[in-house]
mmCIF file of all heavy atoms in Angstrom:
data_model
loop_
_atom_site.group_PDB
_atom_site.id
_atom_site.type_symbol
_atom_site.label_atom_id
_atom_site.label_comp_id
_atom_site.label_asym_id
_atom_site.label_seq_id
_atom_site.Cartn_x
_atom_site.Cartn_y
_atom_site.Cartn_z
ATOM 1 N N SER F 1 -23.182 5.131 11.120
ATOM 2 C CA SER F 1 -22.288 6.006 10.396
ATOM 3 C C SER F 1 -20.846 5.921 10.897
ATOM 4 O O SER F 1 -19.885 5.926 10.090
ATOM 5 C CB SER F 1 -22.796 7.466 10.473
ATOM 6 O OG SER F 1 -22.759 7.938 11.770
ATOM 7 N N GLN F 2 -20.713 5.816 12.180
ATOM 8 C CA GLN F 2 -19.335 5.663 12.767
ATOM 9 C C GLN F 2 -18.726 4.351 12.339
ATOM 10 O O GLN F 2 -17.535 4.271 12.017
ATOM 11 C CB GLN F 2 -19.420 5.740 14.305
ATOM 12 C CG GLN F 2 -19.646 7.146 14.858
ATOM 13 C CD GLN F 2 -19.773 7.100 16.362
ATOM 14 O OE1 GLN F 2 -19.892 6.087 17.005
ATOM 15 N NE2 GLN F 2 -19.742 8.313 16.909
ATOM 16 N N TYR F 3 -19.500 3.260 12.293
ATOM 17 C CA TYR F 3 -18.963 1.968 11.851
ATOM 18 C C TYR F 3 -18.568 2.029 10.424
ATOM 19 O O TYR F 3 -17.476 1.575 10.030
ATOM 20 C CB TYR F 3 -20.026 0.889 12.052
ATOM 21 C CG TYR F 3 -19.614 -0.439 11.508
ATOM 22 C CD1 TYR F 3 -18.712 -1.226 12.154
ATOM 23 C CD2 TYR F 3 -20.191 -0.904 10.343
ATOM 24 C CE1 TYR F 3 -18.298 -2.455 11.671
ATOM 25 C CE2 TYR F 3 -19.796 -2.123 9.825
ATOM 26 C CZ TYR F 3 -18.886 -2.906 10.462
ATOM 27 O OH TYR F 3 -18.489 -4.108 9.992
ATOM 28 N N SER F 4 -19.366 2.676 9.574
ATOM 29 C CA SER F 4 -19.079 2.790 8.140
ATOM 30 C C SER F 4 -17.845 3.643 7.970
ATOM 31 O O SER F 4 -16.974 3.262 7.137
ATOM 32 C CB SER F 4 -20.268 3.447 7.410
ATOM 33 O OG SER F 4 -21.402 2.627 7.491
ATOM 34 N N LEU F 5 -17.721 4.699 8.705
ATOM 35 C CA LEU F 5 -16.516 5.545 8.582
ATOM 36 C C LEU F 5 -15.281 4.791 9.002
ATOM 37 O O LEU F 5 -14.209 4.876 8.328
ATOM 38 C CB LEU F 5 -16.701 6.811 9.443
ATOM 39 C CG LEU F 5 -15.539 7.833 9.413
ATOM 40 C CD1 LEU F 5 -15.372 8.402 7.989
ATOM 41 C CD2 LEU F 5 -15.794 8.919 10.421
ATOM 42 N N PHE F 6 -15.363 3.997 10.080
ATOM 43 C CA PHE F 6 -14.202 3.179 10.542
ATOM 44 C C PHE F 6 -13.827 2.192 9.472
ATOM 45 O O PHE F 6 -12.653 2.003 9.215
ATOM 46 C CB PHE F 6 -14.596 2.500 11.833
ATOM 47 C CG PHE F 6 -13.533 1.588 12.341
ATOM 48 C CD1 PHE F 6 -12.334 2.026 12.858
ATOM 49 C CD2 PHE F 6 -13.695 0.207 12.231
ATOM 50 C CE1 PHE F 6 -11.371 1.173 13.342
ATOM 51 C CE2 PHE F 6 -12.731 -0.661 12.682
ATOM 52 C CZ PHE F 6 -11.544 -0.170 13.247
ATOM 53 N N GLU F 7 -14.809 1.504 8.884
ATOM 54 C CA GLU F 7 -14.520 0.522 7.834
ATOM 55 C C GLU F 7 -13.826 1.133 6.635
ATOM 56 O O GLU F 7 -12.920 0.601 6.047
ATOM 57 C CB GLU F 7 -15.809 -0.232 7.463
ATOM 58 C CG GLU F 7 -16.310 -1.190 8.450
ATOM 59 C CD GLU F 7 -15.322 -2.316 8.716
ATOM 60 O OE1 GLU F 7 -14.811 -2.893 7.786
ATOM 61 O OE2 GLU F 7 -15.148 -2.635 9.911
ATOM 62 N N ILE F 8 -14.326 2.292 6.236
ATOM 63 C CA ILE F 8 -13.753 3.017 5.092
ATOM 64 C C ILE F 8 -12.297 3.434 5.416
ATOM 65 O O ILE F 8 -11.393 3.233 4.562
ATOM 66 C CB ILE F 8 -14.593 4.212 4.698
ATOM 67 C CG1 ILE F 8 -15.931 3.758 4.060
ATOM 68 C CG2 ILE F 8 -13.860 5.158 3.739
ATOM 69 C CD1 ILE F 8 -16.896 4.845 3.830
ATOM 70 N N GLN F 9 -12.051 3.961 6.636
ATOM 71 C CA GLN F 9 -10.708 4.317 6.973
ATOM 72 C C GLN F 9 -9.784 3.100 7.016
ATOM 73 O O GLN F 9 -8.655 3.199 6.593
ATOM 74 C CB GLN F 9 -10.709 4.994 8.349
ATOM 75 C CG GLN F 9 -11.245 6.396 8.329
ATOM 76 C CD GLN F 9 -11.376 7.014 9.733
ATOM 77 O OE1 GLN F 9 -11.317 6.310 10.724
ATOM 78 N NE2 GLN F 9 -11.539 8.326 9.763
ATOM 79 N N LYS F 10 -10.291 2.004 7.540
ATOM 80 C CA LYS F 10 -9.513 0.775 7.568
ATOM 81 C C LYS F 10 -9.128 0.293 6.131
ATOM 82 O O LYS F 10 -8.030 -0.043 5.852
ATOM 83 C CB LYS F 10 -10.289 -0.314 8.332
ATOM 84 C CG LYS F 10 -9.437 -1.516 8.655
ATOM 85 C CD LYS F 10 -10.149 -2.420 9.652
ATOM 86 C CE LYS F 10 -11.056 -3.371 8.967
ATOM 87 N NZ LYS F 10 -11.660 -4.394 9.826
ATOM 88 N N GLU F 11 -10.089 0.350 5.238
ATOM 89 C CA GLU F 11 -9.891 -0.062 3.895
ATOM 90 C C GLU F 11 -8.885 0.857 3.167
ATOM 91 O O GLU F 11 -7.989 0.384 2.520
ATOM 92 C CB GLU F 11 -11.217 -0.039 3.131
ATOM 93 C CG GLU F 11 -11.158 -0.579 1.731
ATOM 94 C CD GLU F 11 -12.495 -0.612 1.046
ATOM 95 O OE1 GLU F 11 -13.466 -0.954 1.702
ATOM 96 O OE2 GLU F 11 -12.546 -0.305 -0.158
ATOM 97 N N VAL F 12 -9.044 2.175 3.367
ATOM 98 C CA VAL F 12 -8.086 3.096 2.777
ATOM 99 C C VAL F 12 -6.722 2.899 3.314
ATOM 100 O O VAL F 12 -5.722 2.944 2.646
ATOM 101 C CB VAL F 12 -8.598 4.568 3.015
ATOM 102 C CG1 VAL F 12 -7.533 5.575 2.710
ATOM 103 C CG2 VAL F 12 -9.856 4.822 2.210
ATOM 104 N N SER F 13 -6.631 2.657 4.602
ATOM 105 C CA SER F 13 -5.324 2.445 5.249
ATOM 106 C C SER F 13 -4.645 1.196 4.697
ATOM 107 O O SER F 13 -3.462 1.181 4.412
ATOM 108 C CB SER F 13 -5.484 2.320 6.740
ATOM 109 O OG SER F 13 -4.264 2.038 7.388
ATOM 110 N N SER F 14 -5.406 0.104 4.551
ATOM 111 C CA SER F 14 -4.809 -1.129 3.998
ATOM 112 C C SER F 14 -4.388 -0.963 2.544
ATOM 113 O O SER F 14 -3.355 -1.476 2.118
ATOM 114 C CB SER F 14 -5.808 -2.321 4.160
ATOM 115 O OG SER F 14 -6.914 -2.105 3.340
ATOM 116 N N GLU F 15 -5.183 -0.216 1.796
ATOM 117 C CA GLU F 15 -4.783 0.033 0.404
ATOM 118 C C GLU F 15 -3.567 0.925 0.345
ATOM 119 O O GLU F 15 -2.688 0.749 -0.501
ATOM 120 C CB GLU F 15 -5.919 0.744 -0.347
ATOM 121 C CG GLU F 15 -7.114 -0.201 -0.635
ATOM 122 C CD GLU F 15 -8.233 0.528 -1.377
ATOM 123 O OE1 GLU F 15 -8.101 1.706 -1.714
ATOM 124 O OE2 GLU F 15 -9.336 -0.131 -1.502
ATOM 125 N N SER F 16 -3.445 1.850 1.298
ATOM 126 C CA SER F 16 -2.274 2.743 1.346
ATOM 127 C C SER F 16 -1.006 1.915 1.644
ATOM 128 O O SER F 16 0.023 2.112 0.998
ATOM 129 C CB SER F 16 -2.462 3.815 2.410
ATOM 130 O OG SER F 16 -1.342 4.615 2.534
ATOM 131 N N ILE F 17 -1.096 1.021 2.601
ATOM 132 C CA ILE F 17 0.050 0.141 2.901
ATOM 133 C C ILE F 17 0.396 -0.697 1.703
ATOM 134 O O ILE F 17 1.557 -0.905 1.383
ATOM 135 C CB ILE F 17 -0.255 -0.706 4.154
ATOM 136 C CG1 ILE F 17 -0.332 0.180 5.395
ATOM 137 C CG2 ILE F 17 0.784 -1.776 4.354
ATOM 138 C CD1 ILE F 17 -0.864 -0.532 6.674
ATOM 139 N N TYR F 18 -0.600 -1.238 1.026
ATOM 140 C CA TYR F 18 -0.370 -2.096 -0.148
ATOM 141 C C TYR F 18 0.397 -1.283 -1.240
ATOM 142 O O TYR F 18 1.358 -1.800 -1.796
ATOM 143 C CB TYR F 18 -1.742 -2.592 -0.694
ATOM 144 C CG TYR F 18 -1.573 -3.290 -1.999
ATOM 145 C CD1 TYR F 18 -1.079 -4.594 -2.086
ATOM 146 C CD2 TYR F 18 -1.964 -2.664 -3.203
ATOM 147 C CE1 TYR F 18 -0.932 -5.214 -3.322
ATOM 148 C CE2 TYR F 18 -1.851 -3.275 -4.401
ATOM 149 C CZ TYR F 18 -1.324 -4.598 -4.463
ATOM 150 O OH TYR F 18 -1.217 -5.220 -5.706
ATOM 151 N N TYR F 19 -0.041 -0.029 -1.448
ATOM 152 C CA TYR F 19 0.638 0.766 -2.494
ATOM 153 C C TYR F 19 2.063 1.114 -2.042
ATOM 154 O O TYR F 19 2.954 1.160 -2.887
ATOM 155 C CB TYR F 19 -0.179 2.034 -2.769
ATOM 156 C CG TYR F 19 -1.432 1.768 -3.571
ATOM 157 C CD1 TYR F 19 -2.680 2.182 -3.122
ATOM 158 C CD2 TYR F 19 -1.355 1.050 -4.787
ATOM 159 C CE1 TYR F 19 -3.811 1.889 -3.813
ATOM 160 C CE2 TYR F 19 -2.513 0.780 -5.484
ATOM 161 C CZ TYR F 19 -3.746 1.229 -5.003
ATOM 162 O OH TYR F 19 -4.869 0.917 -5.760
ATOM 163 N N ASP F 20 2.253 1.333 -0.779
ATOM 164 C CA ASP F 20 3.625 1.604 -0.270
ATOM 165 C C ASP F 20 4.528 0.421 -0.436
ATOM 166 O O ASP F 20 5.654 0.551 -0.910
ATOM 167 C CB ASP F 20 3.589 2.003 1.225
ATOM 168 C CG ASP F 20 2.973 3.371 1.439
ATOM 169 O OD1 ASP F 20 2.854 4.120 0.486
ATOM 170 O OD2 ASP F 20 2.601 3.675 2.624
ATOM 171 N N ILE F 21 4.001 -0.747 -0.154
ATOM 172 C CA ILE F 21 4.827 -1.997 -0.302
ATOM 173 C C ILE F 21 5.072 -2.268 -1.791
ATOM 174 O O ILE F 21 6.183 -2.633 -2.172
ATOM 175 C CB ILE F 21 4.069 -3.212 0.328
ATOM 176 C CG1 ILE F 21 4.111 -3.062 1.882
ATOM 177 C CG2 ILE F 21 4.707 -4.508 -0.068
ATOM 178 C CD1 ILE F 21 3.264 -4.079 2.569
ATOM 179 N N THR F 22 4.084 -2.057 -2.579
ATOM 180 C CA THR F 22 4.271 -2.266 -4.089
ATOM 181 C C THR F 22 5.256 -1.284 -4.605
ATOM 182 O O THR F 22 6.139 -1.710 -5.445
ATOM 183 C CB THR F 22 2.910 -2.063 -4.759
ATOM 184 O OG1 THR F 22 1.934 -2.886 -4.213
ATOM 185 C CG2 THR F 22 3.017 -2.359 -6.204
ATOM 186 N N ALA F 23 5.223 -0.030 -4.164
ATOM 187 C CA ALA F 23 6.210 0.957 -4.667
ATOM 188 C C ALA F 23 7.623 0.605 -4.174
ATOM 189 O O ALA F 23 8.602 0.705 -4.956
ATOM 190 C CB ALA F 23 5.828 2.364 -4.154
ATOM 191 N N LEU F 24 7.734 0.141 -2.949
ATOM 192 C CA LEU F 24 9.044 -0.294 -2.423
ATOM 193 C C LEU F 24 9.595 -1.477 -3.171
ATOM 194 O O LEU F 24 10.842 -1.539 -3.513
ATOM 195 C CB LEU F 24 8.946 -0.606 -0.913
ATOM 196 C CG LEU F 24 10.231 -0.847 -0.198
ATOM 197 C CD1 LEU F 24 11.171 0.282 -0.260
ATOM 198 C CD2 LEU F 24 9.911 -1.222 1.290
ATOM 199 N N GLU F 25 8.765 -2.455 -3.470
ATOM 200 C CA GLU F 25 9.177 -3.618 -4.226
ATOM 201 C C GLU F 25 9.630 -3.226 -5.649
ATOM 202 O O GLU F 25 10.620 -3.732 -6.174
ATOM 203 C CB GLU F 25 8.102 -4.656 -4.293
ATOM 204 C CG GLU F 25 7.810 -5.413 -3.002
ATOM 205 C CD GLU F 25 6.680 -6.411 -3.110
ATOM 206 O OE1 GLU F 25 5.847 -6.305 -4.092
ATOM 207 O OE2 GLU F 25 6.521 -7.256 -2.213
ATOM 208 N N ALA F 26 8.890 -2.299 -6.268
ATOM 209 C CA ALA F 26 9.226 -1.864 -7.613
ATOM 210 C C ALA F 26 10.560 -1.177 -7.619
ATOM 211 O O ALA F 26 11.426 -1.320 -8.508
ATOM 212 C CB ALA F 26 8.159 -0.943 -8.162
ATOM 213 N N GLU F 27 10.815 -0.370 -6.556
ATOM 214 C CA GLU F 27 12.089 0.366 -6.446
ATOM 215 C C GLU F 27 13.268 -0.626 -6.245
ATOM 216 O O GLU F 27 14.328 -0.506 -6.905
ATOM 217 C CB GLU F 27 12.023 1.290 -5.253
ATOM 218 C CG GLU F 27 13.285 2.184 -5.064
ATOM 219 C CD GLU F 27 13.183 3.093 -3.869
ATOM 220 O OE1 GLU F 27 12.043 3.589 -3.603
ATOM 221 O OE2 GLU F 27 14.200 3.258 -3.233
ATOM 222 N N GLN F 28 13.016 -1.647 -5.412
ATOM 223 C CA GLN F 28 14.077 -2.632 -5.193
ATOM 224 C C GLN F 28 14.323 -3.508 -6.461
ATOM 225 O O GLN F 28 15.455 -3.827 -6.763
ATOM 226 C CB GLN F 28 13.689 -3.547 -3.976
ATOM 227 C CG GLN F 28 13.801 -2.832 -2.681
ATOM 228 C CD GLN F 28 13.293 -3.740 -1.538
ATOM 229 O OE1 GLN F 28 12.754 -4.789 -1.755
ATOM 230 N NE2 GLN F 28 13.480 -3.220 -0.302
ATOM 231 N N GLU F 29 13.250 -3.804 -7.158
ATOM 232 C CA GLU F 29 13.358 -4.554 -8.413
ATOM 233 C C GLU F 29 14.159 -3.752 -9.421
ATOM 234 O O GLU F 29 14.996 -4.317 -10.146
ATOM 235 C CB GLU F 29 11.933 -4.869 -8.936
ATOM 236 C CG GLU F 29 11.986 -5.797 -10.131
ATOM 237 C CD GLU F 29 12.324 -7.203 -9.809
ATOM 238 O OE1 GLU F 29 12.094 -7.672 -8.669
ATOM 239 O OE2 GLU F 29 12.877 -7.874 -10.670
ATOM 240 N N GLU F 30 13.909 -2.445 -9.461
ATOM 241 C CA GLU F 30 14.662 -1.595 -10.375
ATOM 242 C C GLU F 30 16.146 -1.532 -10.055
ATOM 243 O O GLU F 30 17.027 -1.620 -10.934
ATOM 244 C CB GLU F 30 14.076 -0.164 -10.394
ATOM 245 C CG GLU F 30 14.753 0.777 -11.343
ATOM 246 C CD GLU F 30 14.174 2.194 -11.297
ATOM 247 O OE1 GLU F 30 13.004 2.325 -10.944
ATOM 248 O OE2 GLU F 30 14.962 3.122 -11.548
ATOM 249 N N GLN F 31 16.421 -1.486 -8.741
ATOM 250 C CA GLN F 31 17.845 -1.433 -8.331
ATOM 251 C C GLN F 31 18.541 -2.779 -8.667
ATOM 252 O O GLN F 31 19.718 -2.803 -9.004
ATOM 253 C CB GLN F 31 17.950 -1.221 -6.838
ATOM 254 C CG GLN F 31 17.726 0.240 -6.428
ATOM 255 C CD GLN F 31 17.822 0.460 -4.926
ATOM 256 O OE1 GLN F 31 17.999 -0.493 -4.179
ATOM 257 N NE2 GLN F 31 17.768 1.726 -4.532
ATOM 258 N N LEU F 32 17.809 -3.898 -8.506
ATOM 259 C CA LEU F 32 18.429 -5.190 -8.822
ATOM 260 C C LEU F 32 18.672 -5.398 -10.333
ATOM 261 O O LEU F 32 19.558 -6.149 -10.693
ATOM 262 C CB LEU F 32 17.555 -6.315 -8.251
ATOM 263 C CG LEU F 32 17.569 -6.515 -6.768
ATOM 264 C CD1 LEU F 32 16.567 -7.627 -6.375
ATOM 265 C CD2 LEU F 32 18.918 -6.915 -6.284
ATOM 266 N N ASN F 33 17.866 -4.739 -11.141
ATOM 267 C CA ASN F 33 17.908 -4.995 -12.577
ATOM 268 C C ASN F 33 18.432 -3.799 -13.381
ATOM 269 O O ASN F 33 18.220 -3.704 -14.619
ATOM 270 C CB ASN F 33 16.569 -5.382 -13.111
ATOM 271 C CG ASN F 33 16.085 -6.714 -12.553
ATOM 272 O OD1 ASN F 33 16.876 -7.608 -12.396
ATOM 273 N ND2 ASN F 33 14.794 -6.777 -12.218
ATOM 274 N N SER F 34 19.168 -2.898 -12.800
ATOM 275 C CA SER F 34 19.685 -1.718 -13.476
ATOM 276 C C SER F 34 21.147 -1.457 -13.126
ATOM 277 O O SER F 34 21.651 -1.954 -12.137
ATOM 278 C CB SER F 34 18.819 -0.480 -13.204
ATOM 279 O OG SER F 34 18.956 -0.125 -11.879
ATOM 280 N N TYR F 35 21.807 -0.666 -13.994
ATOM 281 C CA TYR F 35 23.183 -0.243 -13.737
ATOM 282 C C TYR F 35 23.126 1.068 -13.001
ATOM 283 O O TYR F 35 22.235 1.915 -13.215
ATOM 284 C CB TYR F 35 23.943 -0.036 -15.076
ATOM 285 C CG TYR F 35 24.139 -1.349 -15.805
ATOM 286 C CD1 TYR F 35 23.307 -1.745 -16.827
ATOM 287 C CD2 TYR F 35 25.252 -2.141 -15.483
ATOM 288 C CE1 TYR F 35 23.529 -2.921 -17.514
ATOM 289 C CE2 TYR F 35 25.461 -3.317 -16.193
ATOM 290 C CZ TYR F 35 24.567 -3.700 -17.190
ATOM 291 O OH TYR F 35 24.782 -4.910 -17.845
#
């Protein structure tokens, strides 16, 4: 159960970082393509 919990936390953390990077890229793309 501890191993499963650790793996789930690791997966959620990596997904969270992915969404943060995706949101930052989208924001920068918007700045580059807007007035």
Side-chain angles (χ1 to χ4, degrees):
S1 66
Q2 287 177 347
Y3 175 75
S4 298
L5 182 62
F6 175 73
E7 288 296 316
I8 290 171
Q9 287 175 342
K10 192 168 87 174
E11 185 177 321
V12 167
S13 176
S14 67
E15 288 177 7
S16 175
I17 291 171
Y18 171 76
Y19 288 125
D20 289 346
I21 291 173
T22 306
L24 186 60
E25 285 176 347
E27 184 182 323
Q28 288 175 352
E29 186 71 29
E30 183 182 331
Q31 285 180 353
L32 286 175
N33 295 322
S34 67
Y35 293 96

